[in-house]
Amino acid sequence: MHKVTVLPYNETIEVSDKSNLRDSLDRAGYTVKSTCGGCATCGLCVVVLETGEDNISDIAFEEKQLLGNVFHLTKERLSCQVDILGDITVDISAHLPVKKVTKRRTKQQAESIIQERKEKAKDRPKKQGGFRRPKPFKTNKEDS
Ligand code: FES
């Protein structure tokens, strides 16, 4: 049994040897985004490996095609392609549900904003001159 510490929750789950990371997280109740179901084609199941680089399986060809060869810089892996071989720490912050906050103004707030805008409009200098008059047509013929 190996320990997987899941950030940002800072919780630890126990998994069996050579078990898949995405499946283990799924079974433990953590949501990891995916549309391909673990076939290494969608690239959504990316997690950041904080510790335990030596305790996971090597990068497969399919994973290199999706993420490139930059694991040593980004520490990102496709969780569906990672087999756990020891204790690791993963960060799944990218998979947290996004809360959409809608801020509605009260009628009073809206009216005060309208008043402010009207006052600002009064302070602005008025446009001088206005629109140009259309030029008369030039013709070669003399008007009679
Ligand atoms: S689940 Fe689609 S790439 Fe991992």
Side-chain angles (χ1 to χ4, degrees):
M1 295 293 268
H2 306 298
K3 288 181 180 177
V4 177
T5 307
V6 184
L7 300 176
Y9 301 105
N10 210 15
E11 295 171 351
T12 306
I13 57 171
E14 291 207 344
V15 296
S16 57
D17 191 41
K18 293 184 182 176
S19 60
N20 184 276
L21 177 59
R22 181 179 157 274
D23 294 342
S24 304
L25 288 170
D26 232 26
R27 262 185 256 121
Y30 298 103
T31 308
V32 177
K33 293 175 193 168
S34 163
T35 54
C36 71
C39 301
T41 53
C42 70
L44 295 174
C45 63
V46 173
V47 295
V48 178
L49 193 74
E50 295 290 336
T51 61
E53 284 176 39
D54 301 329
N55 297 336
I56 55 172
S57 57
D58 291 334
I59 299 173
F61 175 73
E62 294 84 15
E63 192 175 354
K64 268 187 189 169
Q65 277 187 318
L66 274 175
L67 297 180
N69 198 9
V70 289
F71 171 72
H72 59 282
L73 296 174
T74 60
K75 305 290 180 202
E76 289 179 341
R77 290 286 307 263
L78 294 178
S79 62
C80 67
Q81 299 301 306
V82 171
D83 291 334
I84 303 163
L85 308 172
D87 296 352
I88 60 170
T89 305
V90 289
D91 186 359
I92 60 166
S93 308
H95 302 276
L96 295 178
V98 179
K99 287 184 181 174
K100 200 173 184 181
V101 179
T102 310
K103 213 174 182 181
R104 297 202 114 206
R105 294 186 179 109
T106 61
K107 199 169 185 175
Q108 269 186 327
Q109 288 172 324
E111 285 174 4
S112 70
I113 290 170
I114 290 168
Q115 281 296 326
E116 277 178 34
R117 287 181 183 168
K118 281 182 181 174
E119 286 172 22
K120 280 184 184 175
K122 284 178 188 174
D123 296 341
R124 266 188 245 139
K126 286 196 176 181
K127 194 175 179 183
Q128 300 290 318
F131 299 107
R132 284 187 183 173
R133 289 189 186 138
K135 290 180 182 174
F137 287 111
K138 290 180 183 173
T139 56
N140 292 336
K141 297 176 188 173
E142 288 180 24
D143 291 337
S144 54

